[in-house]
Amino acid sequence: MLRTLLPVLFVLLSCAAFGQNSFTIKGKAVSKEVNLPLESATIYITAAKDSTVIDYTISNKNGNFSISVKKLNQPFIVKVASLGYQTWEKEFPKLTSDIDMGEIFISDAVTTLGEVEIVSEAPPIRIKNDTLEFNASSFKVRPDSNVEALLKQLPGVEIDKDGKIKVNGKEVNEILVNGKSFFGKDGKVAIKNLPSEIVDKIQVSDTKTKEEKLSGDAASSDNKSINITIQEDKNKGLFGKFTGGYGTDKRYESSGLVNYFKDKQKISILASSNNINSVGFSMDEIFDAMGGGRNFYSNSNGSFGIDGMNFGGNEGITQSSMIGLNFADEWFKKLEPNGSYFYTNSKTDNDTRSRTENFLTSENGTNSSFITESSGTTRRTSDGHNFNLELEYKINPSLTLSVRPSLVKNNSESKNFSEQSSTNDLGLVNESTNSSKSNNASSTFGNELYLHKKFKRKGRNFGFTFNNTNKSNDKDNITNSETYFFQDPDRTEDIRRQRVYDDEKDNTYYTRIGYSEPITDSLSITIRGSYEWKDYDNTKSTFNQNASSGQYSEFNNLLSYGLMSKTRTFNPGASFNVRKSKYSGGMTLGTKVIRMENTSQYDGTTTHVDKNYVYPSANAWFNYRLSKSKSFYMYYNFDVQLPTAAQILPVADLTNPLFQISGNPDLNPTKNHSLHLNYNNYDYASKSGFYLYAGFNYYEQQIVFSRVFNPVDLINRADYQNINDTYNSYGGASWSKSIKREQHTFRFDIGANANYNLNKGLTNNALYEARGLGLSPQVRIAWDYGELLTIEPSYTYTWNKTNYENYSVSSSSNFTHNFKIQTTSHWPKHFVFGNDFGYTYNSNISDGYKKDFYLLNTSLGYNFMEDKLLLKVKVYDVLNQNQSAVRYINPESIEDIQNTVLKRYAMFSLTYKIEKFGGKKKEGNSFSF
């Protein structure tokens, strides 16, 4: 009992101590000239010695304000600012008791006294309705810093080692420049490449859909949006950078980004080419585009993404090139276009090997397993075009039309060779070789159209939506394979010389109308009706090679088929939305009426499988703001996913000699309930934040593979089955704090994630259960010594364990250690020295695969010619230990895979930046070659 009470007592004492060291500053803002209260005036507290923002708030409709601040033993200043008024301020020696400032009279902003003009000071932080606005000039960053460096200085803003941005614990999923996307709404290019000195304001608000923005509804998302506004005098000019370098082992990098801004017209062009598995453009002054350094754009496999669009890359070493264009303009007063275009090209070489231990359980309870080992090589080239456009036409003040078309086209060619063998307790069961050459051409055209009409009464709206997505994918594959069986008395080999044409088309059209009517100022109801129609068609034609002519002319019935599916969904529903100063929420209830028609043609037989479904549709969200920095968010959704044509039609796909899969006409849809909760709190006075989240996904019904292995050939013969009552749950917490002592700044980030899952499956007609538990604590620390030195160590421990019922093994577990440390030095003057060191250990990698490795990258740069040029030498994988051995654990197997990775190389580069605003060339320009 005592052990239980002690932690509780400690928490209570801690809370009491916190309360005793927290004091209230309150008052009332009043207009001096008219003697009326000032609503939404910004009240902020700064440290007297360096103007650091300690805390802030706004006044209510009666002009009253109150701030709870921890004890201060140093001088501080209370300032009151409001648009159109002078900034009022008062200094205090310390804060050791509550302060009641009474009425504070604020004078008009501009007062003419002869030739003297008094203008109000711009506050560092201002709250405008639901928008939190930071004045960029109030926060100090290094000269020539990018926007990312500026964001790191803002109170409540955190950027982790992976580049994920959070504001007051809430993730940022949209970054705009002057209200427009800049190479995608995720903002990766903007924050890394735009210089901080051109920024006027950083505006933070809740992320809204286009419908929510136009209607003025509260945001249903818990994410944040950042809008970067450009200074008026910097909104006309040319700036950018170019990068280039050459290194050992014929490694190279090159990139360029040029931006032309002229009022509302913005044109940006970027280009890059490299063979170091990277997108190739970054403002990072330490490692530039070096993959595995601090560039969070690219993955280790050479792929990279912008705004959900993925370019280049597979496992292995990739040579990639790209060119992109982004533009925003106002063609005439009511039409504002914004768009981007990318062309990408990549060439990937990869050698891979793997080892998979497969677990088997039969209906009679017999347990067994077998081992599959494989190796292979892949050579792949691809090129693609990606075009996005957004047009917003304000037909009149109450009627707006938004159109967002997009087009993606990709072509790829690949050559593959692989060898594989499987063994059981009796020895070798099968082995195979496969060589193939394939060409793939795919395209996706999509468009989102939204028409919004506002009526005179506030909150009364009409909306019309029409979306379409048209996909096509054409494959041409030539395969030569040989498979041999050693324990099957009825068959010894399967030899194939085939050409396969696989044509797939998937068209979706969706339309919805909705009408919103306000019931009160804070409560509204929306009636909606939607209709969706989907058409899917997949034709696979397989031809055997004619032995005499060498042509692929003999049609193979058993390896050819046609699948067609038509789905029509009608979904009427009603939404209720409430919006108060402290909370907002919404609930949508409806009914989905679904008609699904499926047809297959296989081996001379035509089969029809038609289904009718009626399901409820429901979702709800609730956001409660306890204070300006504390909030609680909840989201619930019920979802139904229909089986695909391949899953529900009785067609056997025998393309792979060792993996055969058939559809099941008796399948039912997947039904899923999902719930997400989170709570976050950021205290500006102590510069500390706490974030807590949890989620639960419950599957009433789920579609899974049912695998059956014949022990004499170990061919995986699978179909689809329904299982009931599975779930996955997750949760986590994190705490962060920043401490500044003169030249020293310390940042701490401590957190932990956990998950607990129940999975079910069918192997050899036996139902098993797998209960998995995962824990992952992590800690990150950073120390800044002024602008001269930064040291950032981090450590993550991951542990997973799965317990099985009715399975060949009772449990499995593994753990990993991951330690990293980054150092950056700007001493001596003009030099930049950076190091990234990482250590990874995996306890459960199989024999023959290295369990641990070290990765050290280093960079030394020198600025000269008034910092216009930066000469740099970088070394990747200094210890020459990089590897890609990874382990995948699932209820049915444990798989170890190793791919080709980049090894040690050195790179020499030159960087030059240029900035020219308002027609005048600025000192300290720079670019990269």
Side-chain angles (χ1 to χ4, degrees):
M1 178 64 73
L2 181 60
R3 291 183 178 180
T4 305
L5 291 176
L6 281 175
V8 177
L9 183 61
F10 175 78
V11 171
L12 293 175
L13 289 174
S14 299
C15 294
F18 176 82
Q20 292 171 1
N21 286 283
S22 181
F23 302 102
T24 300
I25 301 174
K26 65 180 181 179
K28 181 176 182 179
V30 180
S31 172
K32 184 176 181 180
E33 280 69 28
V34 295
N35 197 28
L36 290 175
L38 286 178
E39 183 180 1
S40 298
T42 304
I43 297 89
Y44 56 102
I45 302 171
T46 63
K49 65 176 181 178
D50 58 8
S51 298
T52 301
V53 177
I54 297 174
D55 205 346
Y56 71 93
T57 189
I58 61 171
S59 59
N60 62 19
K61 64 180 180 180
N62 297 318
N64 296 316
F65 64 87
S66 178
I67 311 178
S68 181
V69 183
K70 288 185 178 180
K71 181 179 180 180
L72 296 172
N73 289 315
Q74 59 184 4
F76 65 94
I77 301 173
V78 177
K79 298 184 180 183
V80 182
S82 184
L83 193 63
Y85 292 86
Q86 294 183 39
T87 298
W88 179 95
E89 64 178 64
K90 184 176 181 180
E91 183 173 337
F92 295 85
K94 59 184 178 179
L95 179 62
T96 56
S97 62
D98 295 339
I99 298 176
D100 187 350
M101 305 181 69
E103 291 186 335
I104 301 173
F105 292 94
I106 315 297
S107 301
D108 287 345
V110 179
T111 303
T112 303
L113 300 174
E115 298 298 321
V116 180
E117 188 178 71
I118 303 172
V119 183
S120 66
E121 169 193 345
I125 299 172
R126 189 191 300 274
I127 300 177
K128 297 180 177 179
N129 297 324
D130 294 334
T131 300
L132 177 63
E133 183 179 270
F134 298 96
N135 182 16
S137 62
S138 300
F139 301 91
K140 298 178 181 179
V141 292
R142 287 181 55 83
D144 298 323
S145 294
N146 56 13
V147 172
E148 183 184 44
L150 174 61
L151 291 175
K152 290 180 178 180
Q153 300 302 315
L154 305 182
V157 178
E158 300 174 0
I159 303 179
D160 66 18
K161 61 183 178 63
D162 299 317
K164 184 183 295 183
I165 304 174
K166 289 184 179 181
V167 179
N168 298 338
K170 295 186 178 183
E171 185 173 342
V172 174
N173 67 341
E174 179 184 65
I175 297 179
L176 307 175
V177 178
N178 282 352
K180 304 292 183 180
S181 62
F182 187 83
F183 286 109
K185 290 185 177 180
D186 63 7
K188 291 180 178 179
V189 178
I191 67 170
K192 280 287 188 180
N193 292 276
L194 294 182
S196 62
E197 61 186 306
I198 72 171
V199 177
D200 183 26
K201 301 286 192 302
I202 299 290
Q203 299 169 333
V204 181
S205 59
D206 295 330
T207 301
K208 292 187 176 184
T209 64
K210 176 61 72 173
E211 185 174 356
E212 290 168 342
K213 289 178 180 178
L214 293 176
S215 65
D217 290 340
S220 57
S221 167
D222 192 43
N223 294 320
K224 288 293 185 180
S225 173
I226 288 178
N227 181 42
I228 303 166
T229 68
I230 307 301
Q231 298 174 27
E232 187 175 349
D233 61 335
K234 300 292 177 65
N235 213 18
K236 294 181 179 180
L238 180 71
F239 63 95
K241 66 159 188 154
F242 299 101
T243 300
Y246 190 78
T248 59
D249 297 328
K250 298 182 179 180
R251 301 294 171 206
Y252 75 92
E253 62 175 339
S254 60
S255 67
L257 173 63
V258 178
N259 306 278
Y260 173 73
F261 285 7
K262 185 178 180 181
D263 299 323
K264 292 189 176 182
Q265 184 183 76
K266 297 175 179 60
I267 300 174
S268 301
I269 300 174
L270 63 82
S272 73
S273 181
N274 69 85
N275 60 358
I276 56 174
N277 285 10
S278 177
V279 58
F281 56 88
S282 168
M283 237 357 215
D284 179 72
E285 62 180 332
I286 308 300
F287 291 108
D288 295 320
M290 180 181 283
R294 303 176 190 180
N295 182 0
F296 62 85
Y297 291 112
S298 63
N299 301 314
S300 59
N301 63 9
S303 66
F304 56 92
I306 298 175
D307 197 30
M309 303 175 291
N310 294 312
F311 304 104
N314 276 299
E315 303 292 344
I317 298 177
T318 298
Q319 176 184 349
S320 63
S321 301
M322 70 172 297
I323 185 168
L325 169 69
N326 187 87
F327 73 94
D329 206 346
E330 185 179 74
W331 287 344
F332 50 90
K333 189 174 182 180
K334 297 180 180 180
L335 181 61
E336 297 182 1
N338 178 43
S340 62
Y341 166 78
F342 288 95
Y343 168 76
T344 62
N345 176 272
S346 66
K347 299 177 182 179
T348 301
D349 293 333
N350 185 44
D351 296 328
T352 183
R353 65 187 183 101
S354 67
R355 181 185 185 275
T356 305
E357 183 176 4
N358 301 273
F359 305 120
L360 303 178
T361 297
S362 63
E363 288 180 289
N364 60 15
T366 303
N367 298 327
S368 61
S369 65
F370 68 93
I371 304 295
T372 299
E373 294 185 300
S374 67
S375 62
T377 60
T378 300
R379 305 291 179 264
R380 184 176 185 271
T381 61
S382 66
D383 64 280
H385 304 266
N386 196 310
F387 173 76
N388 288 272
L389 179 64
E390 181 173 357
L391 297 168
E392 186 170 298
Y393 179 47
K394 298 177 181 177
I395 301 172
N396 59 50
S398 64
L399 187 62
T400 302
L401 175 65
S402 173
V403 182
R404 291 185 285 183
S406 63
L407 176 64
V408 178
K409 292 182 69 67
N410 287 293
N411 293 280
S412 63
E413 178 179 326
S414 64
K415 296 179 180 179
N416 303 277
F417 176 79
S418 64
E419 297 177 315
Q420 178 177 307
S421 64
S422 297
T423 58
N424 60 13
D425 293 341
L426 299 177
L428 184 63
V429 180
N430 64 56
E431 66 179 8
S432 65
T433 60
N434 181 290
S435 63
S436 65
K437 179 180 179 181
S438 64
N439 291 278
N440 185 24
S442 65
S443 66
T444 300
F445 172 73
N447 185 45
E448 299 177 13
L449 182 149
Y450 181 65
L451 180 68
H452 181 263
K453 168 67 176 177
K454 286 183 179 180
F455 296 95
K456 289 184 178 180
R457 183 178 178 184
K458 184 179 180 181
R460 181 179 291 170
N461 304 288
F462 171 80
F464 171 76
T465 298
F466 179 81
N467 300 335
N468 66 277
T469 304
N470 306 101
K471 298 179 180 180
S472 67
N473 194 7
D474 299 327
K475 300 177 183 177
D476 180 4
N477 184 62
I478 297 176
T479 300
N480 295 319
S481 68
E482 298 180 2
T483 305
Y484 299 95
F485 302 94
F486 302 95
Q487 297 182 19
D488 188 348
D490 300 323
R491 183 174 54 165
T492 60
E493 64 181 23
D494 184 332
I495 309 298
R496 303 187 184 187
R497 305 287 185 266
Q498 296 170 338
R499 187 167 193 171
V500 182
Y501 299 96
D502 193 345
D503 299 327
E504 188 176 28
K505 300 213 170 15
D506 189 359
N507 299 309
T508 301
Y509 302 90
Y510 174 86
T511 186
R512 186 183 72 184
I513 59 173
Y515 174 78
S516 298
E517 179 68 23
I519 299 174
T520 66
D521 289 342
S522 59
L523 180 64
S524 65
I525 183 172
T526 301
I527 306 298
R528 292 191 180 99
S530 67
Y531 188 76
E532 181 183 64
W533 56 105
K534 291 185 176 182
D535 293 328
Y536 176 81
D537 191 343
N538 181 207
T539 301
K540 178 175 284 190
S541 303
T542 302
F543 296 88
N544 295 331
Q545 187 180 45
N546 184 284
S548 58
S549 67
Q551 300 297 312
Y552 297 94
S553 55
E554 300 176 359
F555 187 73
N556 189 321
N557 280 323
L558 291 178
L559 298 182
S560 303
Y561 57 79
L563 305 175
M564 288 161 285
S565 179
K566 294 182 179 180
T567 305
R568 305 293 184 260
T569 304
F570 175 58
N571 183 18
S575 299
F576 302 89
N577 295 280
V578 62
R579 183 176 186 179
K580 293 284 190 179
S581 59
K582 285 286 188 181
Y583 62 87
S584 58
M587 178 175 62
T588 301
L589 299 174
T591 302
K592 284 188 176 181
V593 182
I594 305 171
R595 172 66 177 171
M596 189 179 186
E597 299 176 353
N598 304 280
T599 303
S600 65
Q601 295 175 341
Y602 178 61
D603 196 21
T605 302
T606 300
T607 304
H608 298 280
V609 178
D610 299 335
K611 301 282 186 177
N612 293 310
Y613 305 106
V614 178
Y615 288 110
S617 62
N619 66 71
W621 63 276
F622 180 71
N623 192 350
Y624 185 74
R625 298 176 180 87
L626 291 84
S627 69
K628 69 177 182 299
S629 60
K630 297 178 184 178
S631 66
F632 169 80
Y633 179 80
M634 180 278 292
Y635 180 80
Y636 165 80
N637 183 59
F638 173 72
D639 187 35
V640 175
Q641 294 181 350
L642 300 180
T644 65
Q647 291 174 333
I648 205 170
L649 287 165
V651 171
D653 189 337
L654 310 177
T655 305
N656 187 333
L658 297 174
F659 182 80
Q660 303 173 5
I661 186 166
S662 302
N664 177 7
D666 297 323
L667 271 186
N668 291 314
T670 294
K671 293 188 287 185
N672 174 35
H673 300 264
S674 61
L675 176 68
H676 177 81
L677 308 167
N678 67 51
Y679 166 82
N680 63 282
N681 175 25
Y682 186 87
D683 181 57
Y684 292 88
S686 63
K687 293 185 174 57
S688 63
F690 178 74
Y691 182 66
L692 180 69
Y693 70 93
F696 186 78
N697 291 294
Y698 169 67
Y699 294 90
E700 287 186 48
Q701 200 165 247
Q702 197 172 16
I703 298 173
V704 299
F705 274 124
S706 175
R707 308 186 307 157
V708 176
F709 291 89
N710 187 330
V712 298
D713 59 20
L714 292 181
I715 294 176
N716 185 353
R717 296 173 175 86
D719 66 358
Y720 300 95
Q721 297 290 336
N722 286 119
I723 58 172
N724 300 325
D725 301 324
T726 61
Y727 59 81
N728 62 74
S729 59
Y730 58 89
S734 64
W735 173 83
S736 62
K737 184 175 179 61
S738 178
I739 301 173
K740 188 173 183 180
R741 295 288 185 270
E742 297 179 349
Q743 295 296 317
H744 303 275
T745 301
F746 299 91
R747 298 187 300 275
F748 304 91
D749 189 350
I750 300 172
N753 305 311
N755 61 79
Y756 184 73
N757 310 314
L758 170 61
N759 294 306
K760 298 179 182 179
L762 290 160
T763 301
N764 288 347
N765 298 314
L767 179 67
Y768 69 86
E769 292 186 359
R771 299 177 186 271
L773 174 64
L775 299 173
S776 180
Q778 61 260 340
V779 58
R780 302 186 188 101
I781 302 172
W783 170 52
D784 295 331
Y785 180 71
E787 297 179 349
L788 297 180
L789 178 65
T790 299
I791 300 177
E792 299 180 85
S794 65
Y795 170 74
T796 302
Y797 174 80
T798 304
W799 176 81
N800 293 285
K801 183 175 182 179
T802 304
N803 293 319
Y804 300 93
E805 292 184 14
N806 193 33
Y807 206 54
S808 57
V809 295
S810 59
S811 65
S812 65
S813 65
N814 79 309
F815 64 87
T816 62
H817 298 281
N818 188 274
F819 173 76
K820 293 183 178 180
I821 183 168
Q822 296 180 353
T823 65
T824 306
S825 171
H826 292 274
W827 183 87
K829 189 176 180 181
H830 301 303
F831 282 90
V832 181
F833 182 45
N835 290 279
D836 282 7
F837 171 79
Y839 170 75
T840 301
Y841 175 85
N842 190 330
S843 69
N844 219 10
I845 295 292
S846 300
D847 293 339
Y849 297 84
K850 202 169 185 295
K851 292 179 183 289
D852 64 346
F853 73 98
Y854 302 88
L855 182 62
L856 173 62
N857 304 319
T858 189
S859 168
L860 177 63
Y862 176 69
N863 292 279
F864 59 104
M865 288 185 64
E866 298 180 347
D867 291 340
K868 296 178 182 179
L869 291 173
L870 173 62
L871 181 64
K872 192 182 306 178
V873 57
K874 300 166 290 186
V875 182
Y876 176 79
D877 188 18
V878 175
L879 304 176
N880 202 30
Q881 287 202 3
N882 192 26
Q883 66 170 15
S884 70
V886 294
R887 165 159 286 200
Y888 299 100
I889 299 177
N890 61 64
E892 297 174 336
S893 65
I894 298 177
E895 183 179 21
D896 296 306
I897 301 177
Q898 183 168 292
N899 293 284
T900 301
V901 295
L902 276 172
K903 303 293 282 187
R904 180 171 56 198
Y905 68 86
M907 180 77 71
F908 301 87
S909 65
L910 186 65
T911 299
Y912 176 68
K913 301 177 188 176
I914 187 170
E915 296 173 6
K916 188 176 181 181
F917 297 106
K920 295 181 181 180
K921 190 173 182 180
K922 186 175 177 180
E923 294 295 328
N925 298 342
S926 79
F927 259 47
S928 293
F929 288 99

